[in-house]
Amino acid sequence: MDNFLVQVAGTKRVLLWPPACHDALHVAGSSSPVIHTAAPDLQAHPRYAGCPAPLLAELRPGDVLFLPSLWFHNVSISVNAFWRHLPARHYHRKDLYGNRDLVEAETADKAGEEAAAALSSLPPHYRDFYSGRLL
């Protein structure tokens, strides 16, 4: 879901990464285990080495930052306002904070896992050929 981050008092630094950084951030579910982004543990998170530098937003009282859905952010404690902009059928009814993928994305992920399992017994060159046709 899209999100507004409202800075009420004090200042805050927010780091932002586009959706394309999903793999480099080692995202699992809706969170990244990369905690210290300035000095990450590259042994534990080697793909982070290929992650582009994040965008930086410095917020002051009264500032509002729009966070589009699927963008990753790193921030200390904040109050956010989420809203759904797609028709309700695309969201899981009990997912109040948008932590789950859209219904169609979860269905596609499951289908992809099933397709990979179905192709897994083929020799590598056949598996690579047919896997490449999936998307």
Side-chain angles (χ1 to χ4, degrees):
M1 288 187 273
D2 292 325
N3 181 350
F4 278 127
L5 192 157
V6 179
Q7 186 64 25
V8 177
T11 61
K12 186 175 303 296
R13 291 171 48 105
V14 182
L15 302 177
L16 302 158
W17 292 269
C21 293
H22 178 275
D23 290 339
L25 290 169
H26 293 260
V27 174
S30 65
S31 299
S32 170
V34 181
I35 297 171
H36 304 290
T37 58
D41 179 353
L42 295 179
Q43 292 289 332
H45 313 293
R47 294 190 310 268
Y48 188 77
C51 192
L55 299 174
L56 171 64
E58 294 185 357
L59 305 179
R60 292 182 169 75
D63 287 345
V64 178
L65 177 64
F66 172 69
L67 296 168
S69 58
L70 305 179
W71 275 68
F72 301 99
H73 61 282
N74 177 294
V75 64
S76 57
I77 297 173
S78 295
V79 176
N80 299 299
F82 295 92
W83 74 94
R84 297 175 177 198
H85 65 282
L86 297 175
R89 70 180 181 277
H90 297 291
Y91 301 97
H92 295 276
R93 285 189 295 144
K94 294 185 179 182
D95 183 23
L96 301 178
Y97 301 107
N99 291 324
R100 290 182 67 178
D101 286 327
L102 296 174
V103 171
E104 296 84 354
E106 285 190 3
T107 301
D109 281 345
K110 183 177 180 184
E113 290 170 5
E114 291 171 356
L119 297 173
S120 67
S121 64
L122 293 174
H125 64 285
Y126 284 98
R127 185 175 55 242
D128 292 346
F129 174 80
Y130 290 113
S131 294
R133 288 186 9 186
L134 292 176
L135 286 180

